[in-house]
Amino acid sequence: MKLHILLIAAVAFLSACSAPAKLYPVSMPATGDKIRTSVRSVEVRDVSLPSYAAAEEIHIQGLDGALSSSAGVLWADVPVRAVSLELSRNLAELTGARIAAEPWPFEDPAQARLDVRIEELLASAGGTFRASGQYFVASYEGQRDRSGFFRLTEAFDLEAGPSAIAAARGRIIMQLARVIAKDGL
């Protein structure tokens, strides 16, 4: 309950301030070990996000289930663009394949297209960042199409503020990239 009151007070305080908004970039975590894939090139379509996750404001789900945000606490980049680029970069670094967000920038066409539809991408007052949804890999060269569901969680320190939420989002998109590279590509 104390954490819930602290969260509401922080959102109210930030909303009342007339200071310029603070922008929080998402840092890229280390990729770790390489993952072998059956494709050499992949076009990543713009990731589909729920409306609250596509908004500029950083949302937090309170203990009562309601989402709160503040006009003074924003993502540093447009979320759809940022998540699509994060996922593309993570996949490229994990696999060594030629991977880029749409529109495909190369002369030769990609071997496959990745479509990710995120149902939930949310920080909670309990200190967990959650992501769930489905991905689809369509092959242009006769390989079988693939799809899969994902449900991921990443812990963060709520008292560390929005920068901890941004870091957790970076880690969860890396987790998603690992799942897709291992099971989808």
Side-chain angles (χ1 to χ4, degrees), residues 56-112:
E56 291 182 30
E57 296 88 10
I58 297 175
H59 286 78
I60 299 173
Q61 185 176 35
L63 298 176
D64 63 353
L67 301 182
S68 301
S69 68
S70 168
V73 181
L74 308 175
W75 295 111
D77 195 0
V78 177
V80 170
R81 177 184 181 279
V83 170
S84 299
L85 292 173
E86 289 168 38
L87 185 59
S88 297
R89 181 183 178 129
N90 291 343
L91 285 168
E93 289 184 6
L94 280 170
T95 65
R98 181 183 289 188
I99 299 178
E102 69 175 335
W104 185 248
F106 301 105
E107 186 70 29
D108 294 332
Q111 285 186 307

Side-chain angles (χ1 to χ4, degrees), residues 131-185:
S132 64
Q134 190 171 13
Y135 67 87
F136 306 88
V137 179
S139 175
Y140 294 133
E141 296 189 356
Q143 296 180 4
R144 71 181 174 93
D145 294 339
R146 297 179 183 145
S147 67
F149 293 97
F150 57 91
R151 183 175 304 279
L152 309 168
T153 60
E154 187 67 42
F156 69 94
D157 179 7
L158 185 63
E159 292 182 18
S163 60
I165 294 171
R169 190 184 91 182
R171 293 189 306 272
I172 213 155
I173 298 302
M174 177 58 77
Q175 277 190 52
L176 177 57
R178 288 189 164 285
V179 167
I180 293 170
K182 182 181 171 210
D183 300 333
L185 301 179

